[in-house]
């Protein structure tokens, strides 16, 4: 069984693909091409919806949207990944409850922008992506982000930090209200607000961000992403159930969010349901682990974040119960083969893991994970290299 590495497309390649798709589908040229990345979360998992702290980075893997505005209010959306004819309707047809599936993700931001008073007079869009789908790497947020930046810039807005923050919020609305996935804000913030060479420290109390230098190659390290290819979905009820556990625990503890818990032992002693005890332990300890990682990075002790990543995985496996055998085997095999730390990343229940690996051990770790999957009789995982990349932008 050979290892599959998913390489990112260059901006030139992504632009060429979407321009060609656009021209074939709509018989004219797009006005421009915009791109938005997928993400990995380095640390801070399942805490965004608890007003916690997260530290994602953008992937070099991006979704590309070739777009041309229209003046007749019509919208046409075409995807390289779907064989069907373009989705056709109006911005109003993209309202919550009126659209589902892929069109909800790609068209949802248009409806939210219009709902928030931005002029969206219709548009044609052709979308293609090298972000693996359903892999826990925010392919949805990348689609939303690419369309959102395109429409915002075409409406004359300047893509500064304030607009990025606004578009991130707006894409969360699209995801929650139009696509009916009850996610927090991690993915959209990472896709829209990241900077190359940096982790994005997001504080979900007020959505303030700080760009934390993350130059792993300078320390002889790499962040290896392993897509287990175990199916992963965020609207099958499990994700929402975890959010509901957190809301219930916060209500029982008399705090607005679990971020407000500062005496963990005291809080745990107040809860009688062992499931809620475990959920709260995860959330509060995970927020603390984000602080630890940020402090270690600031001190230049990059390799020392490995054990913190390991502790995060254990907490997500045992207390939050969002891993699966494929994720657990991945992190164990990666560590045994020389990774300094490894954890699931994203929503879990399948999807991807990350491993912090000395550059010279990447091949060994890749082989070990692949062999472990083989020994379990599972299909081959896919591997992505993940240097911290830039957020959404116009590329052509
Ligand atoms: C998914 C959601 C995010 C976040 C992560 C878990 O990626 O979309 O909002 O909750 O799971 O950290």
């Amino acid at each position: 069984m050979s290892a599959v590495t998913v390489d990112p497309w260059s901006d030139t390649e992504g632009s060429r693909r979407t321009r060609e798709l656009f021209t074939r589908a709509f018989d004219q040229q797009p006005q421009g091409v915009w791109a938005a990345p997928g993400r990995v979360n380095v640390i801070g998992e399942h805490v965004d919806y608890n007003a916690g702290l997260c530290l994602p980075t953008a992937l070099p893997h991006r979704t590309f949207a070739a777009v041309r505005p229209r003046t007749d209010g019509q919208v046409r959306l075409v995807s390289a990944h779907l064989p069907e004819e373009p989705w056709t309707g109006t911005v109003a047809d993209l309202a919550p409850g009126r659209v589902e599936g892929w069109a909800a993700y790609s068209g949802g931001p248009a409806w939210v922008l219009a709902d928030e008073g931005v002029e969206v007079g219709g548009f044609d869009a052709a979308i293609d992506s090298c972000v693996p789908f359903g892999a826990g790497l925010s392919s949805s947020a990348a689609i939303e982000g690419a369309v959102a930046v395109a429409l915002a810039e075409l409406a004359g807005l300047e893509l500064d930090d304030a607009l990025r923050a606004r578009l991130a919020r707006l894409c969360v609305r699209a995801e929650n209200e139009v696509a009916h996935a009850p996610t927090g804000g991690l993915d959209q913030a990472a896709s829209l607000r990241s900077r190359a060479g940096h982790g994005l420290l997001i504080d979900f109390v007020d959505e303030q961000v700080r760009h934390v230098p993350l130059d792993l190659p300078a320390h002889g390290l790499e962040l290896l992403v392993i897509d287990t290819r175990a199916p992963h979905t965020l609207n099958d009820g499990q994700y929402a159930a975890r959010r509901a556990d957190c809301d219930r625990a916060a209500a029982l503890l008399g705090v607005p969010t679990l971020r407000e818990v500062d005496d963990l032992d005291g809080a745990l002693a107040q809860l009688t349901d062992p499931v809620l005890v475990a959920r709260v332990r995860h959330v509060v300890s995970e927020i603390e682990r984000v602080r630890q990682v940020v402090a270690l990075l600031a001190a230049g002790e990059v390799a020392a974040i490995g054990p913190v990543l390991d502790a995060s995985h254990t907490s997500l496996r045992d207390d939050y119960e969002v891993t699966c055998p494929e994720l657990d085997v991945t992190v164990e095999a990666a560590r045994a083969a020389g990774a300094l730390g490894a954890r699931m990343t994203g929503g879990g229940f399948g999807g991807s893991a990350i491993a912090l690996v000395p550059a010279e051990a990447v091949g060994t770790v890749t082989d070990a994970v692949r062999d472990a999957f083989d020994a379990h009789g599972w299909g081959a995982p896919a591997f992505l290299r993940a240097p911290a990349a830039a957020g959404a932008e116009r590329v052509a």
Side-chain angles (χ1 to χ4, degrees):
M1 191 165 61
S2 64
V4 186
T5 303
V6 183
D7 290 323
W9 297 339
S10 66
D11 288 344
T12 310
E13 169 77 356
S15 299
R16 184 189 60 73
R17 284 173 179 259
T18 45
R19 278 183 177 282
E20 283 175 12
L21 179 65
F22 190 100
T23 312
R24 257 197 329 274
F26 305 128
D27 218 12
Q28 57 184 338
Q29 290 289 321
Q31 185 156 326
V33 181
W34 286 259
R39 63 97 192 89
V40 283
N41 195 13
V42 176
I43 190 91
E45 215 66 86
H46 283 278
V47 299
D48 56 348
Y49 51 82
N50 290 299
L53 298 168
C54 302
L55 185 70
T57 66
L59 287 171
H61 302 72
R62 296 176 145 198
T63 292
F64 294 83
V67 181
R68 184 183 182 88
R70 300 171 63 101
T71 49
D72 60 359
Q74 291 293 304
V75 176
R76 294 185 297 177
L77 304 166
V78 67
S79 161
H81 295 267
L82 297 171
E84 299 103 65
E85 288 296 297
W87 181 92
T88 308
T90 62
V91 175
D93 293 330
L94 294 164
R98 299 188 66 176
V99 62
E100 55 187 32
W102 173 80
Y105 290 97
S106 52
W111 180 81
V112 182
L113 271 166
D115 189 55
E116 296 192 4
V118 176
E119 185 71 33
V120 182
F123 64 101
D124 292 332
I127 295 171
D128 202 349
S129 182
C130 64
V131 183
F133 289 118
L137 299 174
S138 294
S139 57
S140 319
I143 296 174
E144 294 154 3
V147 173
V149 284
L151 297 180
E153 287 202 315
L154 289 170
L157 304 180
E158 192 198 334
L159 190 59
D160 55 12
D161 287 348
L163 181 62
R164 288 179 181 279
R166 179 178 176 200
L167 293 179
R169 273 196 300 278
L170 207 136
C171 288
V172 175
R173 278 196 64 196
E175 179 120 10
N176 293 170
E177 296 173 33
V178 185
H180 302 295
T183 59
L186 163 69
D187 310 343
Q188 294 77 10
S191 187
L192 283 150
R193 304 180 74 183
S194 289
R195 278 194 199 150
H198 291 76
L200 183 77
L201 177 63
I202 316 163
D203 187 333
F204 281 95
V205 166
D206 53 10
E207 290 166 4
Q208 292 292 318
V209 299
R210 184 146 67 80
H211 300 279
V212 175
L214 188 70
D215 187 1
L216 297 180
H219 295 264
L221 297 170
E222 269 202 36
L223 201 60
L224 179 67
V225 181
I226 304 122
D227 170 10
T228 65
R229 296 187 160 172
H232 147 99
T233 155
L234 292 178
N235 52 8
D236 70 348
Q238 283 289 341
Y239 183 90
R242 293 300 178 283
R243 285 193 74 148
D245 288 346
C246 292
D247 291 346
R248 203 150 52 89
L252 288 168
L253 295 169
V255 289
T257 66
L258 294 182
R259 174 69 177 275
E260 307 285 316
V261 174
D262 35 36
D263 170 13
L264 177 58
D265 290 340
L268 298 184
Q270 284 181 57
L271 296 168
T272 50
D273 179 344
V275 171
L276 294 191
V277 166
R279 304 295 191 247
V280 172
R281 191 162 49 214
H282 167 70
V283 170
V284 176
S285 65
E286 182 76 357
I287 293 171
E288 187 50 34
R289 281 187 285 274
V290 177
R291 293 196 182 97
Q292 284 171 21
V293 165
V294 170
L296 288 167
L297 291 176
E301 294 179 40
V302 180
I305 73 174
V308 191
L309 304 185
D310 290 343
S312 170
H313 187 84
T314 304
S315 179
L316 288 155
R317 183 191 63 203
D318 298 345
D319 279 346
Y320 219 65
E321 297 181 281
V322 291
T323 72
C324 63
E326 290 87 344
L327 285 167
D328 295 338
V329 165
T330 299
V331 300
E332 277 153 31
R335 287 175 201 149
L340 304 180
R343 58 181 291 274
M344 59 152 273
T345 190
F349 309 110
S352 297
I354 52 171
L356 183 70
V357 185
E360 67 279 6
V362 168
T364 318
V365 169
T366 305
D367 288 350
V369 174
R370 188 199 56 200
D371 291 349
F373 272 55
D374 202 17
H376 281 84
W378 299 331
F383 298 88
L384 294 78
R385 317 292 275 261
E393 61 191 344
R394 184 171 186 162
V395 294

